[in-house]
Amino acid sequence: MEQIELGDVTVTRVKEYYGPVGMTPGQFFPTVPESAWREDTAWHAPHFLDPHTGIVNSAVQSWLLRSEGKTILVDTGVGNHKERPYSPVWSHLRTGFLADLARAGVAPEDVDIVINTHLHVDHVGWNTRLEGRSWVPTFPNATYLLPKDDYDFWNPANGHEPLLGRGNQNVFEDSVAPVQEAGQVQLWEGSHRIDARLRLDAAPGHTPGSSVLTLVSGTDRAVFVGDLLHSPVQLVAPDHNSCFCEDPVRARITRRRVLGWAADHNALVVPAHLGGHGAAEVARSGSGFAVKGWAPFTPYARAQSERTAKTSDAADAADTAAAARGNESRVTTA
């Protein structure tokens, strides 16, 4: 199953990539004791950790929501053909993301709202696509909701020096600026109400403008947490950050606050990068939390190799066709 219903909102998982990200658990989560991975191998492997190579497996995926007649895309992954000199695992991908989106019944022109939970390299890539030698908005009819604090932080003109170093190089220029120049960006701060069921809230720490999307519909609850956590180990021990958190102290505070709300309201926690079942309900347990139940999404069948993600001519052809359909709509409605 790749689609669930939460009250009156439909949630569909759209995969871009699932596989190794070139980092060991110790590199990805520097403060987690090595013993935690050895003792809980059965829990982490194979969905979150390759037991043969010892490399972390991660998913890059978007969450497609249909709410109150609107089609909403939460995070847009890495994108194709992007030049990422300091993030080689994400450089020059050629995945079938738009084809997978089409299989979910959505063409680029159908998307009404794009949400970037934050502006890291693996959350904004499909904001744009390559047309000739120019980066143009992939979703020509969408409003792109961007957290202002992240927009300001990652804008090279402001001269910030991020913990990520040059890992986000070119990202603002090819995946953020083009949609701003097209007049499709809406910056928000603090909190932003999308409709009666969906609300964005600031959740700083991982980045200055990181955000979460809360869904409340009928008796169902969910919170789309972006990179608040990357692994189930951060549910059990929420004080452990990934190596990519800009403000470790705020990241820990925010993680505990959001997970506490989820546990107290029986809400589904939906991170950006979990493979396996993709999301989980949590309960308070000691000083941390425990998985109460996994979402019914079907685990990805196998890890994709980095090489495969960069050499798919079939994916290129399918995405070119999907983008062309979006472009026809953009020209027609201009």
Side-chain angles (χ1 to χ4, degrees), residues 18-20 25 41 44-57 303:
Y18 167 65
T41 299
H44 296 293
H47 298 308
F48 314 112
L49 179 68
D50 187 319
H52 304 294
T53 65
I55 297 297
V56 171
N57 282 331

mmCIF file with all atom_site columns, all heavy atoms in Angstrom, residues 18-20 25 41 44-57 303:
data_model
loop_
_atom_site.group_PDB
_atom_site.id
_atom_site.type_symbol
_atom_site.label_atom_id
_atom_site.label_alt_id
_atom_site.label_comp_id
_atom_site.label_asym_id
_atom_site.label_entity_id
_atom_site.label_seq_id
_atom_site.pdbx_PDB_ins_code
_atom_site.Cartn_x
_atom_site.Cartn_y
_atom_site.Cartn_z
_atom_site.occupancy
_atom_site.B_iso_or_equiv
_atom_site.pdbx_formal_charge
_atom_site.auth_seq_id
_atom_site.auth_comp_id
_atom_site.auth_asym_id
_atom_site.auth_atom_id
_atom_site.pdbx_PDB_model_num
ATOM 1   N N   . TYR A 1 18  ? 15.760 5.106   -2.740 1.00 0.00 ? 18  TYR A N   1
ATOM 2   C CA  . TYR A 1 18  ? 15.932 4.386   -1.489 1.00 0.00 ? 18  TYR A CA  1
ATOM 3   C C   . TYR A 1 18  ? 17.185 3.531   -1.597 1.00 0.00 ? 18  TYR A C   1
ATOM 4   O O   . TYR A 1 18  ? 17.306 2.708   -2.515 1.00 0.00 ? 18  TYR A O   1
ATOM 5   C CB  . TYR A 1 18  ? 14.730 3.492   -1.180 1.00 0.00 ? 18  TYR A CB  1
ATOM 6   C CG  . TYR A 1 18  ? 15.000 2.506   -0.061 1.00 0.00 ? 18  TYR A CG  1
ATOM 7   C CD1 . TYR A 1 18  ? 15.243 2.963   1.230  1.00 0.00 ? 18  TYR A CD1 1
ATOM 8   C CD2 . TYR A 1 18  ? 15.047 1.139   -0.299 1.00 0.00 ? 18  TYR A CD2 1
ATOM 9   C CE1 . TYR A 1 18  ? 15.534 2.081   2.260  1.00 0.00 ? 18  TYR A CE1 1
ATOM 10  C CE2 . TYR A 1 18  ? 15.321 0.244   0.723  1.00 0.00 ? 18  TYR A CE2 1
ATOM 11  C CZ  . TYR A 1 18  ? 15.564 0.719   2.006  1.00 0.00 ? 18  TYR A CZ  1
ATOM 12  O OH  . TYR A 1 18  ? 15.854 -0.153  3.022  1.00 0.00 ? 18  TYR A OH  1
ATOM 13  N N   . GLY A 1 19  ? 18.116 3.741   -0.678 1.00 0.00 ? 19  GLY A N   1
ATOM 14  C CA  . GLY A 1 19  ? 19.349 2.982   -0.733 1.00 0.00 ? 19  GLY A CA  1
ATOM 15  C C   . GLY A 1 19  ? 20.418 3.593   0.145  1.00 0.00 ? 19  GLY A C   1
ATOM 16  O O   . GLY A 1 19  ? 20.146 4.420   1.025  1.00 0.00 ? 19  GLY A O   1
ATOM 17  N N   . PRO A 1 20  ? 21.683 3.215   -0.100 1.00 0.00 ? 20  PRO A N   1
ATOM 18  C CA  . PRO A 1 20  ? 22.783 3.688   0.740  1.00 0.00 ? 20  PRO A CA  1
ATOM 19  C C   . PRO A 1 20  ? 23.072 5.165   0.519  1.00 0.00 ? 20  PRO A C   1
ATOM 20  O O   . PRO A 1 20  ? 22.910 5.687   -0.584 1.00 0.00 ? 20  PRO A O   1
ATOM 21  C CB  . PRO A 1 20  ? 23.966 2.829   0.273  1.00 0.00 ? 20  PRO A CB  1
ATOM 22  C CG  . PRO A 1 20  ? 23.626 2.459   -1.137 1.00 0.00 ? 20  PRO A CG  1
ATOM 23  C CD  . PRO A 1 20  ? 22.143 2.296   -1.168 1.00 0.00 ? 20  PRO A CD  1
ATOM 24  N N   . PRO A 1 25  ? 26.537 4.469   10.517 1.00 0.00 ? 25  PRO A N   1
ATOM 25  C CA  . PRO A 1 25  ? 25.750 5.052   11.612 1.00 0.00 ? 25  PRO A CA  1
ATOM 26  C C   . PRO A 1 25  ? 26.564 6.013   12.481 1.00 0.00 ? 25  PRO A C   1
ATOM 27  O O   . PRO A 1 25  ? 26.056 7.050   12.911 1.00 0.00 ? 25  PRO A O   1
ATOM 28  C CB  . PRO A 1 25  ? 25.295 3.825   12.407 1.00 0.00 ? 25  PRO A CB  1
ATOM 29  C CG  . PRO A 1 25  ? 25.260 2.721   11.415 1.00 0.00 ? 25  PRO A CG  1
ATOM 30  C CD  . PRO A 1 25  ? 26.416 2.995   10.489 1.00 0.00 ? 25  PRO A CD  1
ATOM 31  N N   . THR A 1 41  ? 20.355 -4.725  15.870 1.00 0.00 ? 41  THR A N   1
ATOM 32  C CA  . THR A 1 41  ? 20.509 -4.935  14.433 1.00 0.00 ? 41  THR A CA  1
ATOM 33  C C   . THR A 1 41  ? 19.211 -5.411  13.791 1.00 0.00 ? 41  THR A C   1
ATOM 34  O O   . THR A 1 41  ? 18.838 -4.957  12.699 1.00 0.00 ? 41  THR A O   1
ATOM 35  C CB  . THR A 1 41  ? 21.632 -5.954  14.148 1.00 0.00 ? 41  THR A CB  1
ATOM 36  O OG1 . THR A 1 41  ? 22.855 -5.429  14.654 1.00 0.00 ? 41  THR A OG1 1
ATOM 37  C CG2 . THR A 1 41  ? 21.775 -6.200  12.656 1.00 0.00 ? 41  THR A CG2 1
ATOM 38  N N   . HIS A 1 44  ? 16.946 -2.427  13.081 1.00 0.00 ? 44  HIS A N   1
ATOM 39  C CA  . HIS A 1 44  ? 17.381 -1.441  12.086 1.00 0.00 ? 44  HIS A CA  1
ATOM 40  C C   . HIS A 1 44  ? 17.548 -2.044  10.693 1.00 0.00 ? 44  HIS A C   1
ATOM 41  O O   . HIS A 1 44  ? 17.330 -1.356  9.689  1.00 0.00 ? 44  HIS A O   1
ATOM 42  C CB  . HIS A 1 44  ? 18.704 -0.807  12.528 1.00 0.00 ? 44  HIS A CB  1
ATOM 43  C CG  . HIS A 1 44  ? 18.598 -0.019  13.792 1.00 0.00 ? 44  HIS A CG  1
ATOM 44  N ND1 . HIS A 1 44  ? 17.871 1.152   13.874 1.00 0.00 ? 44  HIS A ND1 1
ATOM 45  C CD2 . HIS A 1 44  ? 19.096 -0.233  15.032 1.00 0.00 ? 44  HIS A CD2 1
ATOM 46  C CE1 . HIS A 1 44  ? 17.949 1.626   15.103 1.00 0.00 ? 44  HIS A CE1 1
ATOM 47  N NE2 . HIS A 1 44  ? 18.673 0.808   15.824 1.00 0.00 ? 44  HIS A NE2 1
ATOM 48  N N   . ALA A 1 45  ? 17.991 -3.283  10.620 1.00 0.00 ? 45  ALA A N   1
ATOM 49  C CA  . ALA A 1 45  ? 18.270 -3.906  9.331  1.00 0.00 ? 45  ALA A CA  1
ATOM 50  C C   . ALA A 1 45  ? 17.044 -4.705  8.865  1.00 0.00 ? 45  ALA A C   1
ATOM 51  O O   . ALA A 1 45  ? 16.346 -5.315  9.672  1.00 0.00 ? 45  ALA A O   1
ATOM 52  C CB  . ALA A 1 45  ? 19.491 -4.820  9.453  1.00 0.00 ? 45  ALA A CB  1
ATOM 53  N N   . PRO A 1 46  ? 16.792 -4.714  7.560  1.00 0.00 ? 46  PRO A N   1
ATOM 54  C CA  . PRO A 1 46  ? 17.588 -4.082  6.504  1.00 0.00 ? 46  PRO A CA  1
ATOM 55  C C   . PRO A 1 46  ? 17.079 -2.711  6.080  1.00 0.00 ? 46  PRO A C   1
ATOM 56  O O   . PRO A 1 46  ? 17.695 -2.049  5.250  1.00 0.00 ? 46  PRO A O   1
ATOM 57  C CB  . PRO A 1 46  ? 17.418 -5.069  5.343  1.00 0.00 ? 46  PRO A CB  1
ATOM 58  C CG  . PRO A 1 46  ? 16.000 -5.529  5.503  1.00 0.00 ? 46  PRO A CG  1
ATOM 59  C CD  . PRO A 1 46  ? 15.757 -5.604  6.996  1.00 0.00 ? 46  PRO A CD  1
ATOM 60  N N   . HIS A 1 47  ? 15.916 -2.278  6.636  1.00 0.00 ? 47  HIS A N   1
ATOM 61  C CA  . HIS A 1 47  ? 15.287 -1.071  6.096  1.00 0.00 ? 47  HIS A CA  1
ATOM 62  C C   . HIS A 1 47  ? 16.102 0.194   6.344  1.00 0.00 ? 47  HIS A C   1
ATOM 63  O O   . HIS A 1 47  ? 16.122 1.104   5.509  1.00 0.00 ? 47  HIS A O   1
ATOM 64  C CB  . HIS A 1 47  ? 13.891 -0.895  6.698  1.00 0.00 ? 47  HIS A CB  1
ATOM 65  C CG  . HIS A 1 47  ? 12.954 -2.011  6.377  1.00 0.00 ? 47  HIS A CG  1
ATOM 66  N ND1 . HIS A 1 47  ? 12.727 -2.448  5.090  1.00 0.00 ? 47  HIS A ND1 1
ATOM 67  C CD2 . HIS A 1 47  ? 12.183 -2.793  7.186  1.00 0.00 ? 47  HIS A CD2 1
ATOM 68  C CE1 . HIS A 1 47  ? 11.853 -3.439  5.105  1.00 0.00 ? 47  HIS A CE1 1
ATOM 69  N NE2 . HIS A 1 47  ? 11.517 -3.677  6.367  1.00 0.00 ? 47  HIS A NE2 1
ATOM 70  N N   . PHE A 1 48  ? 16.767 0.275   7.491  1.00 0.00 ? 48  PHE A N   1
ATOM 71  C CA  . PHE A 1 48  ? 17.464 1.499   7.858  1.00 0.00 ? 48  PHE A CA  1
ATOM 72  C C   . PHE A 1 48  ? 18.983 1.345   7.896  1.00 0.00 ? 48  PHE A C   1
ATOM 73  O O   . PHE A 1 48  ? 19.696 2.327   8.018  1.00 0.00 ? 48  PHE A O   1
ATOM 74  C CB  . PHE A 1 48  ? 16.963 1.988   9.222  1.00 0.00 ? 48  PHE A CB  1
ATOM 75  C CG  . PHE A 1 48  ? 15.463 1.965   9.339  1.00 0.00 ? 48  PHE A CG  1
ATOM 76  C CD1 . PHE A 1 48  ? 14.824 1.088   10.195 1.00 0.00 ? 48  PHE A CD1 1
ATOM 77  C CD2 . PHE A 1 48  ? 14.687 2.808   8.548  1.00 0.00 ? 48  PHE A CD2 1
ATOM 78  C CE1 . PHE A 1 48  ? 13.441 1.046   10.291 1.00 0.00 ? 48  PHE A CE1 1
ATOM 79  C CE2 . PHE A 1 48  ? 13.302 2.780   8.635  1.00 0.00 ? 48  PHE A CE2 1
ATOM 80  C CZ  . PHE A 1 48  ? 12.671 1.906   9.490  1.00 0.00 ? 48  PHE A CZ  1
ATOM 81  N N   . LEU A 1 49  ? 19.443 0.122   7.790  1.00 0.00 ? 49  LEU A N   1
ATOM 82  C CA  . LEU A 1 49  ? 20.878 -0.147  7.862  1.00 0.00 ? 49  LEU A CA  1
ATOM 83  C C   . LEU A 1 49  ? 21.175 -1.415  7.071  1.00 0.00 ? 49  LEU A C   1
ATOM 84  O O   . LEU A 1 49  ? 20.507 -2.438  7.269  1.00 0.00 ? 49  LEU A O   1
ATOM 85  C CB  . LEU A 1 49  ? 21.302 -0.333  9.325  1.00 0.00 ? 49  LEU A CB  1
ATOM 86  C CG  . LEU A 1 49  ? 22.774 -0.654  9.595  1.00 0.00 ? 49  LEU A CG  1
ATOM 87  C CD1 . LEU A 1 49  ? 23.650 0.538   9.252  1.00 0.00 ? 49  LEU A CD1 1
ATOM 88  C CD2 . LEU A 1 49  ? 22.965 -1.048  11.064 1.00 0.00 ? 49  LEU A CD2 1
ATOM 89  N N   . ASP A 1 50  ? 22.157 -1.328  6.171  1.00 0.00 ? 50  ASP A N   1
ATOM 90  C CA  . ASP A 1 50  ? 22.558 -2.508  5.412  1.00 0.00 ? 50  ASP A CA  1
ATOM 91  C C   . ASP A 1 50  ? 23.434 -3.386  6.307  1.00 0.00 ? 50  ASP A C   1
ATOM 92  O O   . ASP A 1 50  ? 24.542 -2.968  6.687  1.00 0.00 ? 50  ASP A O   1
ATOM 93  C CB  . ASP A 1 50  ? 23.335 -2.091  4.159  1.00 0.00 ? 50  ASP A CB  1
ATOM 94  C CG  . ASP A 1 50  ? 23.631 -3.261  3.238  1.00 0.00 ? 50  ASP A CG  1
ATOM 95  O OD1 . ASP A 1 50  ? 23.985 -4.346  3.739  1.00 0.00 ? 50  ASP A OD1 1
ATOM 96  O OD2 . ASP A 1 50  ? 23.527 -3.086  2.010  1.00 0.00 ? 50  ASP A OD2 1
ATOM 97  N N   . PRO A 1 51  ? 22.992 -4.581  6.669  1.00 0.00 ? 51  PRO A N   1
ATOM 98  C CA  . PRO A 1 51  ? 23.756 -5.406  7.617  1.00 0.00 ? 51  PRO A CA  1
ATOM 99  C C   . PRO A 1 51  ? 25.056 -5.934  7.025  1.00 0.00 ? 51  PRO A C   1
ATOM 100 O O   . PRO A 1 51  ? 25.950 -6.338  7.768  1.00 0.00 ? 51  PRO A O   1
ATOM 101 C CB  . PRO A 1 51  ? 22.794 -6.558  7.937  1.00 0.00 ? 51  PRO A CB  1
ATOM 102 C CG  . PRO A 1 51  ? 21.902 -6.649  6.740  1.00 0.00 ? 51  PRO A CG  1
ATOM 103 C CD  . PRO A 1 51  ? 21.752 -5.237  6.234  1.00 0.00 ? 51  PRO A CD  1
ATOM 104 N N   . HIS A 1 52  ? 25.191 -5.933  5.713  1.00 0.00 ? 52  HIS A N   1
ATOM 105 C CA  . HIS A 1 52  ? 26.391 -6.457  5.068  1.00 0.00 ? 52  HIS A CA  1
ATOM 106 C C   . HIS A 1 52  ? 27.489 -5.397  4.935  1.00 0.00 ? 52  HIS A C   1
ATOM 107 O O   . HIS A 1 52  ? 28.666 -5.679  5.137  1.00 0.00 ? 52  HIS A O   1
ATOM 108 C CB  . HIS A 1 52  ? 26.043 -7.020  3.693  1.00 0.00 ? 52  HIS A CB  1
ATOM 109 C CG  . HIS A 1 52  ? 24.971 -8.074  3.733  1.00 0.00 ? 52  HIS A CG  1
ATOM 110 N ND1 . HIS A 1 52  ? 25.158 -9.294  4.343  1.00 0.00 ? 52  HIS A ND1 1
ATOM 111 C CD2 . HIS A 1 52  ? 23.697 -8.068  3.260  1.00 0.00 ? 52  HIS A CD2 1
ATOM 112 C CE1 . HIS A 1 52  ? 24.055 -10.012 4.237  1.00 0.00 ? 52  HIS A CE1 1
ATOM 113 N NE2 . HIS A 1 52  ? 23.146 -9.292  3.580  1.00 0.00 ? 52  HIS A NE2 1
ATOM 114 N N   . THR A 1 53  ? 27.089 -4.173  4.611  1.00 0.00 ? 53  THR A N   1
ATOM 115 C CA  . THR A 1 53  ? 28.083 -3.111  4.406  1.00 0.00 ? 53  THR A CA  1
ATOM 116 C C   . THR A 1 53  ? 28.232 -2.203  5.621  1.00 0.00 ? 53  THR A C   1
ATOM 117 O O   . THR A 1 53  ? 29.219 -1.482  5.739  1.00 0.00 ? 53  THR A O   1
ATOM 118 C CB  . THR A 1 53  ? 27.696 -2.242  3.203  1.00 0.00 ? 53  THR A CB  1
ATOM 119 O OG1 . THR A 1 53  ? 26.468 -1.545  3.490  1.00 0.00 ? 53  THR A OG1 1
ATOM 120 C CG2 . THR A 1 53  ? 27.520 -3.086  1.944  1.00 0.00 ? 53  THR A CG2 1
ATOM 121 N N   . GLY A 1 54  ? 27.221 -2.214  6.518  1.00 0.00 ? 54  GLY A N   1
ATOM 122 C CA  . GLY A 1 54  ? 27.259 -1.308  7.658  1.00 0.00 ? 54  GLY A CA  1
ATOM 123 C C   . GLY A 1 54  ? 26.966 0.141   7.287  1.00 0.00 ? 54  GLY A C   1
ATOM 124 O O   . GLY A 1 54  ? 27.247 1.048   8.065  1.00 0.00 ? 54  GLY A O   1
ATOM 125 N N   . ILE A 1 55  ? 26.377 0.362   6.099  1.00 0.00 ? 55  ILE A N   1
ATOM 126 C CA  . ILE A 1 55  ? 26.055 1.705   5.627  1.00 0.00 ? 55  ILE A CA  1
ATOM 127 C C   . ILE A 1 55  ? 24.570 1.983   5.851  1.00 0.00 ? 55  ILE A C   1
ATOM 128 O O   . ILE A 1 55  ? 23.718 1.103   5.685  1.00 0.00 ? 55  ILE A O   1
ATOM 129 C CB  . ILE A 1 55  ? 26.410 1.854   4.131  1.00 0.00 ? 55  ILE A CB  1
ATOM 130 C CG1 . ILE A 1 55  ? 27.921 1.683   3.933  1.00 0.00 ? 55  ILE A CG1 1
ATOM 131 C CG2 . ILE A 1 55  ? 25.948 3.203   3.582  1.00 0.00 ? 55  ILE A CG2 1
ATOM 132 C CD1 . ILE A 1 55  ? 28.777 2.727   4.619  1.00 0.00 ? 55  ILE A CD1 1
ATOM 133 N N   . VAL A 1 56  ? 24.266 3.214   6.211  1.00 0.00 ? 56  VAL A N   1
ATOM 134 C CA  . VAL A 1 56  ? 22.889 3.622   6.453  1.00 0.00 ? 56  VAL A CA  1
ATOM 135 C C   . VAL A 1 56  ? 22.108 3.618   5.138  1.00 0.00 ? 56  VAL A C   1
ATOM 136 O O   . VAL A 1 56  ? 22.572 4.138   4.116  1.00 0.00 ? 56  VAL A O   1
ATOM 137 C CB  . VAL A 1 56  ? 22.845 5.030   7.081  1.00 0.00 ? 56  VAL A CB  1
ATOM 138 C CG1 . VAL A 1 56  ? 21.415 5.560   7.147  1.00 0.00 ? 56  VAL A CG1 1
ATOM 139 C CG2 . VAL A 1 56  ? 23.474 5.005   8.478  1.00 0.00 ? 56  VAL A CG2 1
ATOM 140 N N   . ASN A 1 57  ? 20.926 3.022   5.177  1.00 0.00 ? 57  ASN A N   1
ATOM 141 C CA  . ASN A 1 57  ? 19.965 3.138   4.081  1.00 0.00 ? 57  ASN A CA  1
ATOM 142 C C   . ASN A 1 57  ? 18.988 4.255   4.404  1.00 0.00 ? 57  ASN A C   1
ATOM 143 O O   . ASN A 1 57  ? 18.538 4.401   5.550  1.00 0.00 ? 57  ASN A O   1
ATOM 144 C CB  . ASN A 1 57  ? 19.180 1.836   3.891  1.00 0.00 ? 57  ASN A CB  1
ATOM 145 C CG  . ASN A 1 57  ? 19.966 0.777   3.157  1.00 0.00 ? 57  ASN A CG  1
ATOM 146 O OD1 . ASN A 1 57  ? 20.837 1.083   2.338  1.00 0.00 ? 57  ASN A OD1 1
ATOM 147 N ND2 . ASN A 1 57  ? 19.670 -0.486  3.430  1.00 0.00 ? 57  ASN A ND2 1
ATOM 148 N N   . ALA A 1 303 ? 17.096 -2.002  -1.728 1.00 0.00 ? 303 ALA A N   1
ATOM 149 C CA  . ALA A 1 303 ? 17.866 -0.769  -1.796 1.00 0.00 ? 303 ALA A CA  1
ATOM 150 C C   . ALA A 1 303 ? 18.347 -0.543  -3.218 1.00 0.00 ? 303 ALA A C   1
ATOM 151 O O   . ALA A 1 303 ? 18.794 -1.461  -3.900 1.00 0.00 ? 303 ALA A O   1
ATOM 152 C CB  . ALA A 1 303 ? 19.050 -0.830  -0.839 1.00 0.00 ? 303 ALA A CB  1
#
